[in-house]
Amino acid sequence: MKISRIDHLGIGVESIEAVLPYFENVLGLKCYAVEEVADQKVKTAFLKCGEVKIELLEPTSPESAVAKWLEKGGKGVHHVAFAVEDGVAEALAECEGKEIRLIDKAPRLGAENMMIGFLHPKCTAGILTELCEPKK
């Protein structure tokens, strides 16, 4: 697997509207996109910090993974997403071959028209890891 960069940091929040003023008015970052990802039951907001994106994740349902994470006391960084050059499917297969537990057995569509796949934090030093690439 060839990782080219950190694509984004996913930050779980209870309300995008409540935290956006901090990112925009205090840090000087600008929100450039808001999108709902229905199948993941989240609303996202994206900001750029240099080459790295910040993805704010607000649950739209109590059943979403982000809602459950927040309920368990999760705050701050929810996941780290790495851009892969050789494809998410190939990267997932390589990780599985190295006995890394996968959340996603195959790539799926995420926010910003990206193909994504998650690795389970029990096998990744406690870090929920996302692998991503632009949809072709």
Side-chain angles (χ1 to χ4, degrees):
M1 165 174 35
K2 185 172 181 186
I3 292 176
S4 60
R5 62 186 164 72
I6 293 176
D7 183 77
H8 66 272
L9 299 175
I11 299 175
V13 300
E14 291 179 7
S15 167
I16 289 171
E17 185 178 316
V19 301
L20 205 51
Y22 166 70
F23 288 92
E24 292 190 322
N25 301 335
V26 177
L27 298 180
L29 304 176
K30 296 298 173 208
C31 178
Y32 67 85
V34 177
E35 174 183 351
E36 186 170 332
V37 184
D39 70 322
Q40 293 178 35
K41 300 178 179 77
V42 294
K43 178 175 151 185
T44 65
F46 284 93
L47 307 100
K48 277 281 248 202
C49 181
E51 294 298 314
V52 177
K53 296 178 280 187
I54 305 293
E55 177 187 31
L56 303 178
L57 300 153
E58 174 186 322
T60 58
S61 165
E63 290 82 39
S64 79
V66 173
K68 292 174 184 175
W69 180 77
L70 288 168
E71 189 176 285
K72 290 180 184 176
K75 292 189 187 295
V77 176
H78 176 262
H79 67 271
V80 177
F82 295 97
V84 293
E85 293 184 3
D86 45 356
V88 174
E90 293 81 357
L92 289 171
E94 182 178 332
C95 289
E96 188 171 41
K98 293 178 179 178
E99 299 186 7
I100 298 296
R101 186 171 158 193
L102 306 180
I103 292 174
D104 296 302
K105 297 281 186 187
R108 59 187 162 110
L109 188 61
E112 292 201 308
N113 207 32
M114 299 284 276
M115 296 307 296
I116 64 170
F118 281 92
L119 308 179
H120 201 286
K122 287 188 178 182
C123 297
T124 58
I127 301 161
L128 179 59
T129 303
E130 178 181 355
L131 306 174
C132 63
E133 68 175 329
K135 183 179 176 187
K136 296 175 185 169

